Amino acid sequence: MTNPKMIQASKLPESFSIAGKAKIEIQAAEDGDEKKLRRFSMVAYTGGAMRLAGFYHPVVIDLTGMKVTAKSRPVLREHDPSRIVGHTENIVIGSRDVRVEGTISAANEHSREVIESADNGFPWQVSVGANSEKLAFVDSGETVQVNGRNFTGPVYVARQSRLGEVSFVAMGADDRTSAKMVAKHRKESEMGFEAWLQAKGFELSELSEAQEASLRAMYTAEDSAEPDTDDRDSGDTRTVQASATGGDGASTGGDLESYQKQLRAAAAKESHRFTQIRLLCQKYPDVNTINVDGADVSIEAHAIENDWSVDKLELHLMRASRPKAPAGHVHDKAADAEAIEAALLCSHGLTEEQVGKWYSEKVMNAAVSRNYRSFTLHSLMGAVIRAAGQHYSGSFKSNDFIRATYTAERQLKASGFSTLTVSNILENVANKTLIASYEAQETTWQKICRTSNMSDFKVHSRYRLDTTGAFRKVGADGELKHIGMTDSKYTNQLDTFGAIVSLTRQDQINDDLDAFLVIPTAMGRLAAVRIEGAVYVLLLSNPGSFFGTGNKNYITGADTALSGTSLTKMKTQFSNMVDANNNPILVSPKYLLVGTTLEDTADVLLTERDLIDGTSTTEKPKKNPHVGTLEKVKSPYLNNTSIKDEDGKAISGQSDTQHYIFADPSVRAAMCVGFLNGQRRPTIESGETSFDTLGMQWRGYHDFGVGMEDPVAAVKSKGAA
């Protein structure tokens, strides 16, 4: 396998058309109701490589990156916006294909042409218009896996694309595509595929891709076949025409050769049925027997002896092979916990890319499918009730519904199935929402502070060891001189910061998940701001004269205002730092920290190659020695007096002129942020609450501490006299 190379989309067309390889189905009008709108269903794309106009090599559309803005899109003729045919009502982007359902709703000659041509047997094809937003190229001889298949280059992979419209076309991008129109209306067609499944005892959300494909094939075959005149299974056509022989087997006037041909054909078909039955039974090795009159008999022999069609056998095997639910628990795959979590996160506003960091591709495919796409708080509560084997048919906006949910929740926890509960799922959703909000904040403390792991809330001391003495010339006696060690002690201590988040009875009745999730979103921001504030409040307070003449890391005076000259002075001060043994620290500064008032000046100093020398009589350009030597870090805490500390008090030490330079904290750190057991992100967990209160409660908290460390790792400039 190889990673495709991203290419510039401008070198290739931004839009393309996808031609489907499966048939299009258009319902015929019901008898006596010609005015009823005709519906259609189609497979628009099957996940393979296509030859498209404007592309030098085949193109594969990565279905995991395909988006559709709305399930209702225009349906056109030949991609012409002036030739409207109808609209889509459902677009399902699966892991292997794109399926489209809709209505021929336009009142014009274009829609009539599609319908009348289909009724006459014209093989319409389908083409879907899309835009490519991210395109990758696989070189010749290299392979890439897309849509569950391997493709060998040269080939383009559309990693991100967006569906626009669907068109009926006379000839698609692939001239091998076929389009078969349904010429009659059956009950199953009226019901639709999902209703047909339910009539057979299946739920679409419970099927694997292979099972869904098999059942769709059965559904299509039934929908396309003429109605049977007896009670035999659909597709079972082994009966020999009675016109060829009489009851005793003698010829009654039919042609003997024709009769023998029919017998041979029937025998061949029966032999094929036996083979298909055997292969099906091998496909389901866990279903070997069937109970008949209290006795277990071979399922293969029973199917052959009782004239079962292959479709009937497969339906039986699929039902029998479904996993058995544990005692006291009804398995409901539609309520799969991870898919529900991912769906709720997407519905709250997180992008699929953000949510996809936490879940597998399979979970994400389920989360954005039609079964989960519109999941709400009430949907979650109903899923929990079903998962516990219960049923609720009353109003969802009532206390009875809430109580039924809590009863089901307690039952699931008692049975050991706590994963699929309201409290657990909302805890996970809230925690991920909090983390996403926490990580989205543009904090800067990571630039100037190192991080450390702390095991408890005691005062922790850290020591930096430096040598005393030096490498000395070894004399003739070969004796090595001893050197000593000295240490510098730095301390830090953790504190806990947090808040409570609740899901009230009103939120539950109102089906208002956003009202709940807005709190962990705010908590994520508060946690990020709390660390940022703690770092800068400590820095500006200058504890123990950390920045002072005694530590040789502080400069002051009118000539220290931020400029090329003063920055040179700061760098010189930093380079002159020595360790406890009076040796140079051999570390260069990496960051220039400024307030918002000095941001533009810092940008000029660190990016402009030439500066204007205003000291001479005639101003002239002067080479700037600071370009690219430092990285700017900006913080409003340094100068914005509107910012207050956690108690609402003014922050001491703020000024418009101060600025700092820092070493890379991973090499030598002036400050440190410690976290309990290395947990660098805040946490949300279930709190103890009584179910009788008709509410739920979670607590969010973060354990961290901030401390000053090594004074030789930073230099401060007052920037004024």
Side-chain angles (χ1 to χ4, degrees):
M1 295 290 178
T2 185
N3 291 322
K5 301 174 182 177
M6 301 312 298
I7 61 177
Q8 293 182 9
S10 59
K11 295 181 179 180
L12 295 167
E14 294 183 356
S15 61
F16 48 75
S17 299
I18 305 171
K21 292 187 178 181
K23 70 181 182 180
I24 301 173
E25 295 182 357
I26 297 181
Q27 288 182 185
E30 293 187 7
D31 294 339
D33 191 5
E34 296 181 355
K35 293 184 179 180
K36 186 173 182 179
L37 294 179
R38 306 283 286 275
R39 295 179 53 77
F40 66 85
S41 61
M42 59 182 69
V43 177
Y45 176 52
T46 56
M50 304 169 295
R51 289 282 183 180
L52 301 180
F55 290 84
Y56 314 122
H57 303 291
V59 179
V60 180
I61 313 302
D62 188 345
L63 293 176
T64 62
M66 179 174 280
K67 303 292 187 299
V68 58
T69 56
K71 62 182 179 181
S72 179
R73 306 300 302 167
V75 178
L76 312 174
R77 276 279 288 115
E78 303 290 349
H79 301 289
D80 186 346
S82 66
R83 304 168 71 184
I84 302 173
V85 173
H87 66 278
T88 66
E89 293 179 343
N90 196 27
I91 299 176
V92 179
I93 301 176
S95 60
R96 295 177 182 271
D97 59 22
V98 178
R99 298 176 182 271
V100 180
E101 297 175 350
T103 300
I104 300 177
S105 55
N108 55 37
E109 68 275 13
H110 308 303
S111 62
R112 288 190 290 272
E113 178 186 355
V114 169
I115 293 173
E116 292 174 6
S117 298
D119 290 343
N120 292 335
F122 182 78
W124 286 113
Q125 294 182 9
V126 57
S127 183
V128 176
N131 288 327
S132 175
E133 298 177 347
K134 183 180 288 187
L135 198 64
F137 179 69
V138 181
D139 285 331
S140 178
E142 297 181 340
T143 60
V144 64
Q145 189 174 72
V146 187
N147 304 332
R149 310 183 197 175
N150 290 331
F151 297 92
T152 302
V155 64
Y156 295 108
V157 179
R159 285 301 189 191
Q160 291 183 9
S161 58
R162 188 173 299 277
L163 288 180
E165 48 82 16
V166 180
S167 285
F168 283 89
V169 295
M171 181 175 294
D174 185 340
D175 58 10
R176 294 175 299 169
T177 59
S178 62
K180 180 180 179 183
M181 307 303 163
V182 178
K184 64 183 185 320
H185 183 76
R186 291 174 56 89
K187 181 179 179 181
E188 287 81 1
S189 297
E190 181 180 352
M191 289 166 36
F193 176 61
E194 289 192 54
W196 179 87
L197 276 179
Q198 293 173 355
K200 298 289 187 182
F202 292 93
E203 291 292 337
L204 180 60
S205 60
E206 296 180 346
L207 302 177
S208 67
E209 291 180 2
Q211 290 171 331
E212 181 182 347
S214 296
L215 289 168
R216 281 191 182 276
M218 294 180 197
Y219 166 72
T220 300
E222 286 189 22
D223 199 41
S224 300
E226 292 295 335
D228 297 328
T229 57
D230 56 19
D231 293 330
R232 299 176 66 85
D233 291 313
S234 176
D236 193 356
T237 57
R238 295 186 298 279
T239 304
V240 179
Q241 292 181 3
S243 61
T245 62
D248 58 359
S251 175
T252 59
D255 182 81
L256 179 59
E257 183 178 351
S258 176
Y259 170 57
Q260 290 174 335
K261 185 176 181 179
Q262 290 180 25
L263 288 177
R264 287 194 297 271
K269 192 165 188 177
E270 188 73 343
S271 176
H272 177 71
R273 186 177 73 94
F274 291 171
T275 300
Q276 293 299 106
I277 286 176
R278 185 166 291 110
L279 290 174
L280 263 180
C281 290
Q282 292 173 359
K283 185 178 177 181
Y284 295 88
D286 296 334
V287 187
N288 299 315
T289 61
I290 184 172
N291 189 277
V292 179
D293 296 330
D296 289 337
V297 299
S298 166
I299 183 63
E300 180 180 328
H302 182 80
I304 293 174
E305 180 182 354
N306 289 273
D307 221 16
W308 280 18
S309 69
V310 174
D311 286 351
K312 180 177 180 179
L313 174 61
E314 185 167 14
L315 285 171
H316 174 83
L317 292 172
M318 289 173 68
R319 291 190 186 106
S321 64
R322 285 187 287 192
K324 301 296 186 296
H329 175 68
V330 176
H331 179 74
D332 182 3
K333 202 165 185 178
D336 174 77
E338 285 194 332
I340 292 175
E341 288 175 16
L344 292 175
L345 287 166
C346 288
S347 67
H348 181 57
L350 271 66
T351 66
E352 292 180 27
E353 288 74 15
Q354 287 177 299
V355 180
K357 295 187 301 182
W358 295 307
Y359 301 100
S360 67
E361 180 180 356
K362 182 178 180 181
V363 169
M364 289 303 300
N365 287 338
V368 299
S369 70
R370 62 178 178 272
N371 297 319
Y372 295 92
R373 191 177 299 151
S374 57
F375 230 75
T376 65
L377 181 58
H378 281 176
S379 302
L380 169 60
M381 296 167 72
V384 169
I385 293 173
R386 293 193 300 274
Q390 305 298 323
H391 176 71
Y392 180 81
S393 58
S395 171
F396 282 12
K397 294 182 178 295
S398 67
N399 289 340
D400 289 340
F401 180 52
I402 299 175
R403 291 192 182 95
T405 303
Y406 292 158
T407 299
E409 178 128 340
R410 288 194 294 270
Q411 181 178 337
L412 289 172
K413 288 182 177 179
S415 302
F417 294 97
S418 59
T419 300
L420 210 163
T421 59
V422 173
S423 58
N424 186 76
I425 287 178
L426 289 186
E427 177 182 323
N428 292 340
V429 169
N431 196 47
K432 291 177 173 61
T433 302
L434 179 146
I435 290 172
S437 176
Y438 175 77
E439 293 179 342
Q441 308 308 312
E442 297 181 0
T443 55
T444 60
W445 65 264
Q446 299 91 333
K447 300 281 189 181
I448 62 174
C449 302
R450 77 174 185 92
T451 58
S452 67
N453 300 337
M454 299 168 66
S455 59
D456 52 42
F457 293 89
K458 299 176 182 177
V459 175
H460 283 250
S461 298
R462 176 176 177 267
Y463 299 86
R464 173 179 289 280
L465 297 179
D466 288 305
T467 60
T468 59
F471 269 32
R472 299 184 180 277
K473 183 177 179 180
V474 179
D477 59 0
E479 181 182 359
L480 297 174
K481 303 300 181 181
H482 287 274
I483 62 174
M485 300 292 291
T486 185
D487 59 67
S488 300
K489 180 179 178 181
Y490 315 116
T491 61
N492 199 346
Q493 185 174 12
L494 299 180
D495 286 304
T496 299
F497 305 86
I500 291 290
V501 54
S502 298
L503 180 67
T504 67
R505 169 179 171 271
Q506 287 82 4
D507 292 336
Q508 295 173 78
I509 289 179
N510 294 337
D511 197 16
D512 198 347
L513 182 67
D514 283 343
F516 166 71
L517 291 181
V518 72
I519 301 177
T521 299
M523 289 173 63
R525 168 176 162 72
L526 290 175
V529 171
R530 187 66 191 87
I531 295 180
E532 186 85 346
V535 167
Y536 284 106
V537 167
L538 181 65
L539 173 69
L540 296 176
S541 69
N542 196 27
S545 297
F546 184 87
F547 293 99
T549 55
N551 286 330
K552 299 179 181 179
N553 62 358
Y554 180 61
I555 62 175
T556 182
D559 61 343
T560 62
L562 184 59
S563 66
T565 301
S566 69
L567 192 54
T568 298
K569 185 176 181 179
M570 290 184 76
K571 288 181 177 179
T572 301
Q573 189 87 356
F574 191 98
S575 299
N576 287 337
M577 291 288 188
V578 295
D579 60 21
N581 197 39
N582 295 322
N583 288 321
I585 61 173
L586 301 179
V587 176
S588 297
K590 184 174 182 179
Y591 298 105
L592 171 62
L593 173 64
V594 298
T596 56
T597 52
L598 297 179
E599 180 180 10
D600 290 343
T601 303
D603 283 336
V604 170
L605 288 173
L606 300 181
T607 61
E608 294 294 333
R609 295 195 174 276
D610 295 305
L611 298 175
I612 299 298
D613 183 3
T615 60
S616 61
T617 304
T618 303
E619 294 185 353
K620 59 183 179 179
K622 178 181 179 182
K623 184 175 178 59
N624 180 10
H626 305 297
V627 174
T629 60
L630 297 170
E631 179 181 333
K632 183 195 73 178
V633 178
K634 176 195 69 175
S635 175
Y637 281 93
L638 268 63
N639 62 281
N640 187 352
T641 56
S642 296
I643 302 174
K644 307 299 180 183
D645 66 13
E646 65 173 327
D647 297 322
K649 298 179 180 179
I651 298 175
S652 65
Q654 291 180 315
S655 81
D656 290 336
T657 60
Q658 66 178 315
H659 50 284
Y660 303 74
I661 56 175
F662 286 85
D664 184 338
S666 65
V667 178
R668 198 149 190 153
M671 301 184 72
C672 174
V673 177
F675 296 97
L676 182 64
N677 298 322
Q679 180 60 43
R680 285 163 167 73
R681 295 182 295 193
T683 300
I684 280 185
E685 60 185 26
S686 299
E688 294 298 327
T689 180
S690 171
F691 284 114
D692 294 336
T693 63
L694 297 179
M696 294 185 178
Q697 189 168 268
W698 293 262
R699 54 177 175 257
Y701 58 89
H702 202 189
D703 302 307
F704 69 89
V706 182
M708 305 302 296
E709 285 207 351
D710 196 345
V712 304
V715 170
K716 175 183 177 180
S717 172
K718 183 179 180 181

